[in-house]
């Protein structure tokens, strides 16, 4: 049942606590999440008021201990792993990646899709974002996209290339600099019998990278382009044993975003 939470600042406090459920969050970090560098002299007192209101809102009949606990120097949100979408997402994503590494592609797709089902829009969509929470939303979106990419990798390994093409076209339009998505699109197009479209996708990616970053595509993508040009049999799903994927089918990991 939805719980009314009052002001945007109160929601920012809860969001910060939920992102670290089960751990003590220093009061100074909560103040920064709510006010950034513009905390008023009354910030500590206001924070205590928000915590009190949240404790009442989150209380449940029959519970002997409040959900929101004061601890030395900060506060702790008490929650079971299955009660926090982020924790459910991270657990399912970890299980999916394990299955993907083991080349159990059917299990990987099932678990990664379940992880993605935890998302119902942009993270913290109804929370006022200061610098700290804004950084968190970037991190969460990166985690989501990485799971999308892993799920697509497993789907392509299962031969779901034709169905993946429309989804991949939408993803590269929304994230034109994510090379792994372009890698999957090129491979899906090629395996769908669309060699020319796969090469055209590489040309579009090269233009995006040159215009926006002054970079060339990664060596992995260049190898994939060359393999597509010569119709390398190693690209054929039927001739690519799961235990011996050719080097050109291993896209480079994206560099981690620098902290702000």
């Amino acid at each position: 049942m939805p719980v009314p939470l009052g002001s945007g600042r109160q929601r920012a406090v809860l969001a910060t606590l939920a992102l670290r459920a089960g751990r003590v969050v220093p009061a100074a970090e909560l103040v920064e999440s709510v006010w950034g560098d513009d905390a008023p002299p009354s910030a500590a007192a206001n924070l205590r008021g928000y915590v009190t209101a949240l404790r009442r809102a989150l209380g449940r009949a029959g519970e002997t201990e409040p959900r929101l606990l004061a601890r030395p120097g900060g506060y702790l949100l008490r929650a079971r792993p299955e009660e926090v979408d982020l924790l459910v997402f991270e657990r399912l994503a970890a299980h999916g990646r394990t299955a993907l590494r083991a080349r159990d592609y059917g299990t990987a797709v099932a678990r990664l899709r379940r992880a993605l089902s935890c998302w119902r829009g942009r993270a913290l969509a109804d929370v006022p974002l200061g610098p700290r929470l804004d950084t968190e939303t970037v991190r969460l979106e990166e985690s989501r996209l990485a799971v999308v990419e892993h799920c697509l990798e497993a789907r392509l390994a299962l031969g779901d290339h034709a169905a993946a093409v429309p989804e991949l076209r939408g993803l590269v339009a929304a994230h034109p600099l994510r090379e792994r998505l372009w890698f999957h699109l090129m491979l899906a197009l090629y395996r769908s019998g669309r060699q020319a479209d796969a090469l055209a996708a590489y040309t579009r990616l090269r233009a995006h990278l040159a215009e926006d970053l002054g970079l060339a595509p990664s060596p992995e993508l260049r190898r994939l382009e060359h393999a597509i040009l010569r119709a390398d049999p190693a690209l054929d799903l039927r001739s690519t044993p799961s235990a011996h994927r050719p080097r050109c089918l291993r896209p480079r990991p994206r560099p981690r975003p620098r902290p702000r």
Side-chain angles (χ1 to χ4, degrees):
M1 176 182 297
V3 175
L5 294 178
S7 71
R9 287 174 176 170
Q10 191 168 303
R11 293 197 300 274
V13 171
L14 180 59
T16 305
L17 290 164
L19 288 169
R20 289 161 179 74
R23 292 176 284 170
V24 175
V25 180
E29 183 175 325
L30 291 167
V31 168
E32 184 182 351
S33 292
V34 174
W35 288 281
D37 296 329
D38 300 320
S42 61
N46 291 344
L47 175 62
R48 288 192 295 271
Y50 296 145
V51 168
T52 299
L54 285 170
R55 188 178 288 125
R56 286 197 299 265
L58 298 174
R60 290 184 179 180
E63 289 192 338
T64 58
E65 189 176 14
R67 286 302 185 104
L68 187 48
L69 307 174
R71 290 291 184 260
Y75 299 93
L76 179 147
L77 178 66
R78 192 170 56 86
R80 293 186 294 273
E82 66 273 15
E83 293 179 312
V84 181
D85 284 345
L86 176 60
L87 299 180
V88 175
F89 166 77
E90 290 176 340
R91 175 174 56 83
L92 290 170
H95 291 169
R97 287 191 294 267
T98 298
L100 182 60
R101 288 192 295 270
R103 301 184 178 88
D104 183 357
Y105 299 119
T107 299
V109 169
R111 289 176 177 173
L112 294 170
R113 278 179 164 165
R114 284 181 60 199
L116 292 169
S117 72
C118 295
W119 288 76
R120 293 181 290 275
R122 182 175 62 83
L124 309 182
D126 61 346
V127 176
L129 298 180
R132 178 176 287 276
L133 287 178
D134 185 53
T135 298
E136 288 291 341
T137 63
V138 173
R139 179 183 68 83
L140 292 171
E141 178 63 5
E142 178 64 29
S143 296
R144 185 189 72 83
L145 286 171
V147 171
V148 169
E149 291 167 345
H150 288 137
C151 189
L152 285 162
E153 180 179 344
R155 288 173 60 190
L156 294 181
L158 290 172
D160 193 25
H161 35 267
V165 167
E167 181 180 347
L168 279 161
R169 287 198 181 280
L171 285 166
V172 298
H175 308 282
L177 301 180
R178 289 190 75 91
E179 291 181 273
R180 179 163 292 191
L181 292 174
W182 286 97
F183 185 101
H184 291 330
L185 176 60
M186 291 168 62
L187 187 60
L189 286 166
Y190 180 80
R191 286 182 174 172
S192 300
R194 301 168 63 179
Q195 182 184 30
D197 288 339
L199 294 171
Y202 178 83
T203 300
R204 291 198 303 277
L205 167 62
R206 185 173 58 193
H208 281 304
L209 291 173
E211 180 178 349
D212 294 344
L213 301 176
L215 297 176
S218 68
E220 288 80 5
L221 278 161
R222 294 198 296 271
R223 283 194 291 269
L224 179 59
E225 184 213 19
H226 295 157
I228 290 172
L229 280 167
R230 62 177 184 272
D232 190 334
L235 297 180
D236 190 335
L237 183 65
R238 293 187 303 274
S239 65
T240 307
S242 61
H244 301 285
R245 290 195 301 167
R247 187 182 178 196
C248 68
L249 298 187
R250 297 174 185 163
R252 66 179 173 185
R254 288 179 56 81
R256 293 186 179 181
R258 295 179 180 178
R260 297 186 176 184

